[in-house]
Amino acid sequence: MNRWERRIKRKLKSIANNYALLPRDPAHQHESIHRARRLTKQLRALAALLPTEFQRSLRKIMRDQKRIVQQLGLLRDESLFRQNIQLLGATLDPAHALDIESTDKSNFDIESIDIQDPLNQLAANVSRIQHRLQDHNGAIKRQHVARQWKRSCKQFIKRQHQLLLSPSLEHWHALRKSSKLIEYQLRFLRKYSHHAAGPLAELIIDLGKHLGQLNDFAKARESITKRKSPLGHIITLNEESAEELLTEIEQGCDQEMRAASGLMEQVLPLLQQLIALKSRELIE
């Protein structure tokens, strides 16, 4: 077993252990969902560094992982939306207070969801990947990891160019996904990489925060416009209050876009510098 295979297997084992340790108690539901989403991003970033043929064998597992986390993400979005909408509403006249009502007559409660089964499935999927990797001893080499990392960097640059040509929310969202992939790859690769990876990691982390906030603003705007929360609960809100909230959200979106654009200008030359390096120069 070579050095890079050991490193990846060690990281995969750490992810598996952290999945197993996620609290299953409903009282810690929000914490578990947040940590599960982060762990899945780590897993996706790690899988993207594996040889292409091995990635193909993991597609079904990774699709299942993505589906489960998206479902858990809806709970996170609902909870965040309720918190944010109440904070924004608190600055308005009491007569404009928000009244969030459920479309479900059973008065669906996001606090009552049992997340034990999806968390167990996430952990089981990681075990399946570990077993697959065990059957491919010696298949992961430095040049494979370097090539796949460069591919992630090139994908980010492509997303950035698309955004410059058409600054739609769809392209902002695609850039956010690419930035998260690079961020979690850098968290793993940084100590083994060229010195330029350090400054890049700091910039990418900051960029991810702004893109994440922009994404939350966009979801909030959609919910207010449609008068429905992420889980489909009806929001009773008069037009004056809605306009005030939408104005605040638009201002927030503009602020996050400006901040993200400034960071992208700093990220691009560092990515280009890393892409130009040979494998042995890029990572140890």
Side-chain angles (χ1 to χ4, degrees):
M1 187 188 301
N2 64 51
R3 182 190 310 175
W4 274 102
E5 192 163 338
R6 285 196 302 271
R7 288 170 176 170
I8 286 178
K9 286 183 176 180
R10 190 162 56 240
K11 180 61 176 177
L12 190 56
K13 182 178 180 181
S14 172
I15 293 174
N17 290 340
N18 283 318
Y19 268 125
L21 291 172
L22 288 175
R24 268 59 172 177
D25 185 347
H28 299 95
Q29 174 177 296
H30 297 307
E31 176 192 353
S32 295
I33 291 174
H34 174 69
R35 288 168 56 187
R37 285 162 58 88
R38 289 179 63 91
L39 286 169
T40 302
K41 289 172 185 174
Q42 290 180 37
L43 181 64
R44 174 174 169 258
L46 191 67
L49 294 173
L50 299 174
T52 303
E53 60 273 15
F54 189 74
Q55 288 188 44
R56 291 194 188 104
S57 72
L58 299 180
R59 282 178 180 170
K60 186 175 181 180
I61 297 175
M62 296 306 295
R63 279 199 297 266
D64 190 46
Q65 206 79 347
K66 179 180 178 180
R67 176 187 59 79
I68 296 169
V69 169
Q70 284 178 336
Q71 291 173 350
L72 292 175
L74 278 177
L75 298 180
R76 175 260 184 194
D77 292 342
E78 178 76 13
S79 177
L80 184 63
F81 175 76
R82 290 187 183 190
Q83 293 173 20
N84 288 342
I85 206 76
Q86 288 168 2
L87 285 173
L88 290 170
T91 63
L92 304 175
D93 188 285
H96 301 155
L98 302 180
D99 177 21
I100 302 177
E101 300 174 351
S102 173
T103 55
D104 185 351
K105 293 182 179 180
S106 64
N107 195 24
F108 176 76
D109 184 3
I110 61 173
E111 304 294 338
S112 65
I113 293 216
D114 182 7
I115 62 170
Q116 181 168 329
D117 285 345
L119 292 182
N120 288 343
Q121 185 60 51
L122 290 175
N125 282 342
V126 181
S127 296
R128 292 167 63 193
I129 295 174
Q130 286 179 295
H131 289 140
R132 295 275 179 92
L133 196 57
Q134 199 65 38
D135 297 333
H136 289 74
N137 281 333
I140 303 171
K141 296 181 172 61
R142 174 171 62 183
Q143 59 267 33
H144 296 144
V145 176
R147 186 185 304 122
Q148 299 295 24
W149 190 20
K150 286 184 180 183
R151 181 175 294 179
S152 297
C153 295
K154 290 176 182 178
Q155 182 190 57
F156 179 93
I157 294 174
K158 179 181 178 180
R159 301 295 188 214
Q160 185 180 13
H161 288 162
Q162 289 173 335
L163 181 64
L164 292 175
L165 292 173
S166 175
S168 64
L169 280 177
E170 180 183 358
H171 286 153
W172 279 108
H173 181 63
L175 184 73
R176 184 178 72 88
K177 291 173 66 175
S178 287
S179 74
K180 279 299 175 184
L181 183 66
I182 293 179
E183 175 185 335
Y184 282 97
Q185 287 178 341
L186 280 169
R187 289 178 185 271
F188 171 60
L189 294 172
R190 184 174 178 176
K191 61 182 177 182
Y192 312 121
S193 304
H194 186 273
H195 60 81
L200 175 62
E202 300 301 328
L203 290 170
I204 283 287
I205 289 171
D206 285 344
L207 176 61
K209 291 176 181 177
H210 288 292
L211 294 176
Q213 187 61 54
L214 175 61
N215 188 57
D216 288 340
F217 276 132
K219 288 179 179 178
R221 177 172 56 194
E222 181 181 9
S223 291
I224 292 171
T225 302
K226 293 182 177 180
R227 300 295 197 273
K228 285 187 177 181
S229 72
L231 283 178
H233 296 187
I234 292 177
I235 304 168
T236 303
L237 182 65
N238 63 42
E239 289 300 321
E240 182 181 351
S241 299
E243 287 301 320
E244 290 185 40
L245 289 172
L246 289 172
T247 298
E248 291 191 41
I249 287 172
E250 288 299 330
Q251 291 172 349
C253 283
D254 290 342
Q255 182 178 345
E256 298 301 333
M257 286 179 180
R258 286 195 299 271
S261 297
L263 287 167
M264 283 191 291
E265 292 178 2
Q266 301 175 63
V267 165
L268 184 59
L270 290 174
L271 286 176
Q272 292 170 330
Q273 179 184 352
L274 292 173
I275 290 172
L277 296 173
K278 296 180 180 179
S279 295
R280 64 177 179 272
E281 298 170 326
L282 182 61
I283 55 178
E284 295 177 359

